[in-house]
Amino acid sequence: MKIVFMGTPDFAVPTLKKLYESKHEVVGVFTQTDKPKGRGYKLAPPPVKVLALEHGTPVYQPKSLKNEPQMWDELKKLEPDCIVVAAYGKILPREVLEIPKFHCVNVHGSLLPKYRGAAPIQWSVLNGDAETGITTMLMGEGLDTGDILLQRSTPIGDNETAAQLFDRLSEIGADLLIETLDKLEKDQITPVKQDDSKATYARMLSKDMCVLDFEKPVFEVHKKICGLSDWPCAVTFLKGKRLKVYGSEIVSRGPAKSPAGTVVNEKDLSVQCADGVLRFTVVQAEGSKRMSTQDYIRGNPVAKGIKLDME
């Protein structure tokens, strides 16, 4: 099939790579505009654009497909059999959805109808789910409401961060997309309507979610750290300075023996929560780089009994 691919971040790259390796032909790539990045705020291309240019594929970067109807004509000229969307980040108007022969197929990072919306992977971790997965679906005008084509589930590790799960699901999604296209081409898939009564919404994350509250249950604190890694990242305050926490492990569960937020083991930064003890595994101090907790402690000794603050 002739494919037009629409995607932007790292999550979309494995899917585009698999398309290039498949029997299908990528005739065009749509991605978001270049964005300022780094200390110099120089314009940097999205990861998808970099890969597309390496393969000599025409790249289009409209600010809005809805408000740039001239892009519809460009799409029609490409004559796609299918438009594949993976984390594009923009709404596709009805006029675009009607262009391809085999509709528009979206690669979504959850087992729909659970976690429709912008941050399904992060919320599956934040909520302590045992499993999640990938759904390929036919796109409609609603938010992730289209008919389901294929799904593939995967367990979420006890200490797996959203960033780690993000990488795993991007690879699973790439494989599932190729399987979906091959079966669509052979008319071997019967789309299944979603049960709207079971739908949940995964809203975007924000920095006001970051501060850790050790009065909460240990499992909840742990999953908050895992779910907010790598962005916007869980934070606490040690000796008045911000400490980002990228990873953790539950040490024990049971009645608290110290006040919540107290460091109970200075050798590995274990902290008392409401009903258990949590160990930080990866941290970043103000003005420093991310590192293992052991490396941090070697340069920044922490006294047992010191209390972590919320501000």
Side-chain angles (χ1 to χ4, degrees):
M1 287 195 285
K2 293 171 65 177
I3 305 294
V4 166
F5 183 80
M6 296 184 177
T8 301
D10 290 329
F11 180 83
V13 169
T15 300
L16 183 54
K17 281 183 177 178
K18 286 286 185 180
L19 282 169
Y20 281 128
E21 295 167 1
S22 73
K23 65 180 181 180
H24 304 290
E25 179 187 4
V26 181
V27 295
V29 168
F30 280 68
T31 189
Q32 292 197 32
T33 55
D34 296 1
K35 297 289 194 304
K37 191 175 182 180
R39 292 184 178 180
Y41 288 96
K42 293 182 179 180
L43 287 178
V48 161
K49 178 181 178 180
V50 173
L51 179 60
L53 292 178
E54 288 175 358
H55 285 79
T57 308
V59 175
Y60 305 85
Q61 295 178 276
K63 291 183 178 179
S64 167
L65 277 173
K66 182 179 180 180
N67 299 322
E68 296 184 42
Q70 67 273 19
M71 284 290 104
W72 308 346
D73 294 329
E74 292 297 323
L75 261 172
K76 290 175 182 176
K77 290 177 185 176
L78 294 171
E79 299 181 335
D81 294 311
C82 183
I83 293 176
V84 171
V85 180
Y88 180 35
K90 291 189 178 295
I91 302 233
L92 272 58
R94 177 176 52 80
E95 292 82 357
V96 169
L97 295 173
E98 293 175 348
I99 290 174
K101 177 181 177 182
F102 288 99
H103 306 287
C104 296
V105 175
N106 184 37
V107 181
H108 184 77
S110 80
L111 298 173
L112 290 170
K114 194 172 186 179
Y115 298 131
R116 295 173 178 173
I121 298 172
Q122 295 92 326
W123 280 105
S124 69
V125 178
L126 284 166
N127 288 336
D129 292 358
E131 70 169 8
T132 186
I134 290 287
T135 300
T136 53
M137 56 180 283
L138 296 178
M139 295 185 68
E141 293 187 72
L143 180 63
D144 300 325
T145 58
D147 293 352
I148 293 170
L149 297 173
L150 295 177
Q151 290 187 317
R152 187 166 295 164
S153 64
T154 185
I156 300 174
D158 291 342
N159 301 319
E160 188 169 23
T161 68
Q164 292 166 339
L165 182 58
F166 195 91
D167 291 341
R168 282 207 305 116
L169 286 178
S170 68
E171 298 291 344
I172 293 171
D175 290 335
L176 193 63
L177 183 275
I178 299 302
E179 181 181 345
T180 300
L181 293 181
D182 292 346
K183 288 186 175 180
L184 275 177
E185 196 172 30
K186 297 174 183 176
D187 197 24
Q188 294 177 343
I189 296 180
T190 301
V192 177
K193 290 191 177 299
Q194 294 188 43
D195 184 348
D196 292 338
S197 69
K198 296 181 179 178
T200 59
Y201 178 65
R203 63 182 174 86
M204 291 183 66
L205 305 183
S206 60
K207 290 185 177 181
D208 60 8
M209 301 170 60
C210 295
V211 178
L212 294 170
D213 180 1
F214 298 102
E215 298 279 359
K216 301 287 187 181
V218 67
F219 182 77
E220 185 176 331
V221 178
H222 173 54
K223 287 300 178 178
K224 183 170 185 174
I225 292 169
C226 293
L228 298 183
S229 182
D230 286 348
W231 192 93
C233 192
V235 300
T236 188
F237 292 85
L238 178 60
K239 300 177 184 178
K241 293 187 177 182
R242 181 184 296 262
L243 182 70
K244 292 184 177 180
V245 187
Y246 288 92
S248 59
E249 298 173 350
I250 294 176
V251 177
S252 63
R253 300 173 188 261
K257 298 179 180 179
S258 303
T262 301
V263 174
V264 296
N265 188 338
E266 75 283 7
K267 296 179 180 179
D268 62 3
L269 257 183
S270 291
V271 182
Q272 180 71 61
C273 298
D275 62 353
V277 174
L278 185 74
R279 176 193 300 123
F280 297 162
T281 57
V282 183
V283 297
Q284 182 177 4
E286 284 186 30
S288 184
K289 62 181 181 179
R290 190 188 313 191
M291 63 185 70
S292 70
T293 299
Q294 291 301 319
D295 287 342
Y296 170 78
I297 291 173
R298 272 193 283 271
N300 303 270
V302 177
K304 182 177 180 179
I306 195 170
K307 197 168 185 295
L308 302 181
D309 299 313
M310 295 183 65
E311 59 183 9

